[in-house]
Amino acid sequence: MALQFFNTLSRSKEVFVPLDPAGKKVGLYTCGPTVYNYAHIGNLRAFMFEDLLRRYLEYKGFAVTHVMNITDVEDKIIRTVRETGKPLREITDFYTQEFFRDLTTLNIQRAHVVPRATETIPGMIALIEQLIAKQHAYIGDDGSVYFSIKSFPAYGQLGHLDMENLQPGARVQHDEYAKESVADFALWKAWVETDGPIKWDSPWGPGRPGWHIECSVMSMAHLGASFDIHCGGEDLVFPHHEDEIAQSEAATGKQFVKYWLHNAHLLVEGKKMSKSAGNFFTLRDLLAKGWTGREVRYLLLSGHYREQLNFTMDGLAGARSALQRIDEFLLKIQELAAPTEAKAQKIPAPIETALDDDLNISAALGSIFEFIRDANKRTIPADEAACILATWRQIDKVLGFGIPAKSDVPAEIQALVEERQTARKAKNFKRSDEIRDQLKLQGWVIEDTSTGARAKRLSANAR
Ligand SMILES: [Zn+2]
């Protein structure tokens, strides 16, 4: 099967053919975070899906250039500046660093280029000037510059809007608005008092860019007027992405993006995530509850990106035991494997077929566990184990779960660890503590991990 993706533009699965005539280079733009707060797990689902997409494209041999913006000026950020009294840059720098920390915890690859909106303002002004010159934009009586929807008949193509029956309203200033109020939207917002110190000079007076123009400019600056894939959560289809298309195509006269991929929402414990419902989680909340980034990664990744994912604590427990099964298998395979590394293998066909089909991860994981189940039933010769290990390294390039390190714990220490586990289960804490002390004397410490207790060598200065 050829690689195919569901394209929101056509609302159908399409075979993926990059714009590059050599079929090699792929331009990928993913809408980045608005940095005024910690990312919540709903946001992180989008970045996780995009990570799988990029990893798989790279596995398939494409040379991907991944651009992800940092939205560091926008309505919500300005509100935060007003509420906290802190400078914009202090807020956005802090949350940008925290965001990158989350990506590292989740083993999400960083984009190759990460432009900040506030550092791209001259490009935004240039694009707005082009739109004014081509009569796709005008200056409103409030001094802001608006995109004229009626000047762009293709408006509504991504959101599949019924423009005839949607009576376009006059104008909208806010970055987010409802379909019913489809209206001329702000490209440049004239400074008002509530913006405080946040303003940049422009040919139309002091002000700031609208959110939508930011992404058009940052994507085209690094990927060209036309590029292959643009992603985001389904909530961004309208108005954000619809407006990006309008601005970009009206200015360049070229198709902006060939494939639009959107991920579905996430529910938490069966409900829409909200602070008042008590089901609102950032990654740090989950880490504080004892879950690992790897377990969160597994759960966020395990459902197909276009299907609603119900994120639950039971699901995390399931992720924990799924990873445990994988780890146990890999540790066993590492023990069995012939010492010479087998040469790189392709991902097994059923897994590749599943991922080729619009990243059908559930089917891919299904065949991985089927393989583990079958392999656990038989004796695996050393050379086959080496091949399995080499194959797994390829699979892991796509899944990013990591491969557990081969254990170097001597058998007698391992026996004590197991005896302690048994003692603990029997609530014999006296014996369990004795064993812990004995291990410590011998230079070992017990770590309780998601995959059970493990002995770790004490570092010299901890003895
Ligand atoms: Zn965007």
Side-chain angles (χ1 to χ4, degrees):
M1 183 199 275
L3 176 61
Q4 48 184 331
F5 296 126
F6 184 90
N7 189 350
T8 310
L9 261 184
S10 64
R11 295 232 168 141
S12 61
K13 280 189 200 169
E14 294 177 21
V15 171
F16 178 69
V17 183
L19 295 167
D20 174 18
K24 180 91 181 154
K25 288 190 218 149
V26 171
L28 169 67
Y29 185 85
T30 59
C31 283
T34 302
V35 282
Y36 69 106
N37 212 333
Y38 296 111
H40 58 64
I41 51 169
N43 303 135
L44 293 171
R45 181 186 196 193
F47 301 114
M48 189 64 70
F49 139 64
E50 291 154 1
D51 187 57
L52 175 66
L53 170 67
R54 171 173 155 193
R55 285 169 179 267
Y56 194 57
L57 286 166
E58 286 172 345
Y59 168 76
K60 296 293 271 185
F62 296 109
V64 180
T65 302
H66 178 194
V67 180
M68 187 199 71
N69 68 296
I70 298 287
T71 297
D72 61 351
V73 57
E74 182 262 3
D75 293 351
K76 293 192 288 289
I77 299 179
I78 294 185
R79 199 177 61 219
T80 309
V81 169
R82 207 162 52 231
E83 286 166 1
T84 61
K86 288 184 185 160
L88 177 111
R89 190 73 192 219
E90 188 184 322
I91 294 170
T92 58
D93 275 353
F94 176 80
Y95 288 111
T96 302
Q97 287 317 311
E98 291 300 311
F99 172 72
F100 284 137
R101 198 139 67 118
D102 287 351
L103 295 193
T104 306
T105 308
L106 293 172
N107 196 23
I108 293 177
Q109 291 185 318
R110 250 200 230 197
H112 302 102
V113 192
V114 187
R116 297 177 72 117
T118 53
E119 288 167 1
T120 322
I121 298 216
M124 299 176 198
I125 292 176
L127 190 70
I128 298 170
E129 283 184 312
Q130 249 178 297
L131 289 169
I132 294 176
K134 292 187 172 176
Q135 296 181 338
H136 286 295
Y138 61 92
I139 302 164
D141 47 18
D142 59 350
S144 298
V145 183
Y146 291 89
F147 184 88
S148 159
I149 285 189
K150 69 171 188 320
S151 78
F152 187 72
Y155 194 87
Q157 55 183 300
L158 188 69
H160 301 262
L161 304 182
D162 174 12
M163 292 301 286
E164 291 204 350
N165 293 313
L166 273 171
Q167 301 288 327
R171 283 199 313 250
V172 59
Q173 252 268 0
H174 302 299
D175 285 329
E176 286 167 90
Y177 48 92
K179 274 194 180 109
E180 300 68 48
S181 62
V182 60
D184 291 359
F185 56 91
L187 299 167
W188 184 264
K189 304 183 185 195
W191 182 83
V192 289
E193 220 168 296
T194 46
D195 290 344
I198 299 153
K199 57 182 177 198
W200 286 264
D201 285 333
S202 82
W204 320 286
R208 60 184 169 101
W211 171 36
H212 317 303
I213 196 84
E214 296 181 4
C215 278
S216 282
V217 171
M218 289 186 272
S219 57
M220 293 195 290
H222 299 283
L223 299 171
S226 295
F227 59 94
D228 300 288
I229 308 176
H230 193 315
C231 300
E234 64 185 359
D235 53 321
L236 297 186
V237 172
F238 183 89
H240 186 51
H241 291 161
E242 193 72 60
D243 290 354
E244 277 188 46
I245 295 177
Q247 300 156 158
S248 311
E249 297 189 355
T252 67
K254 293 180 184 153
Q255 185 179 31
F256 177 45
V257 170
K258 194 170 175 193
Y259 303 91
W260 286 89
L261 273 59
H262 293 98
N263 64 281
H265 278 151
L266 177 134
L267 296 178
V268 179
E269 303 290 349
K271 281 190 264 170
K272 194 169 180 255
M273 189 166 48
S274 78
K275 283 187 176 148
S276 57
N279 65 348
F280 184 96
F281 295 114
T282 64
L283 183 57
R284 58 204 20 79
D285 297 333
L286 297 170
L287 299 180
K289 285 175 180 286
W291 303 105
T292 64
R294 195 172 175 238
E295 289 156 356
V296 177
R297 178 180 178 92
Y298 186 96
L299 182 54
L300 286 176
L301 208 62
S302 59
H304 188 260
Y305 74 94
R306 282 194 294 114
E307 280 165 24
Q308 200 169 51
L309 174 74
N310 185 16
F311 191 100
T312 63
M313 295 303 131
D314 284 350
L316 277 171
R320 181 169 284 181
S321 59
L323 285 167
Q324 200 169 343
R325 264 158 73 204
I326 293 176
D327 286 352
E328 278 164 9
F329 174 70
L330 290 175
L331 284 170
K332 187 176 93 180
I333 291 296
Q334 288 181 77
E335 293 291 328
L336 293 172
T340 45
E341 180 99 352
K343 69 176 194 343
Q345 307 282 316
K346 269 186 74 67
I347 288 181
I351 301 174
E352 188 155 353
T353 306
L355 292 172
D356 277 350
D357 181 14
D358 195 30
L359 303 175
N360 188 346
I361 187 77
S362 343
L365 288 173
S367 42
I368 285 173
F369 284 109
E370 203 177 286
F371 176 79
I372 292 179
R373 208 164 34 242
D374 290 346
N376 279 338
K377 282 186 199 147
R378 56 194 179 87
T379 325
I380 296 169
D383 53 343
E384 192 194 336
C387 273
I388 293 176
L389 203 54
T391 306
W392 194 275
R393 290 192 207 287
Q394 296 302 311
I395 294 175
D396 199 60
K397 279 186 187 165
V398 178
L399 299 181
F401 296 151
I403 296 173
K406 199 167 149 182
S407 167
D408 62 348
V409 181
E412 68 273 15
I413 299 294
Q414 191 52 40
L416 281 171
V417 173
E418 276 154 28
E419 196 193 331
R420 175 180 167 269
Q421 286 298 88
T422 317
R424 272 164 66 101
K425 268 192 198 134
K427 298 208 187 313
N428 184 352
F429 296 114
K430 188 166 164 278
R431 179 64 191 140
S432 140
D433 288 350
E434 278 169 17
I435 296 173
R436 189 196 56 206
D437 295 343
Q438 192 183 343
L439 283 168
K440 200 172 174 192
L441 276 176
Q442 297 183 45
W444 294 86
V445 64
I446 294 186
E447 240 186 12
D448 290 303
T449 70
S450 60
T451 55
R454 222 174 249 157
K456 216 182 109 185
R457 251 179 240 282
L458 266 176
S459 57
N461 53 7
R463 285 191 203 190

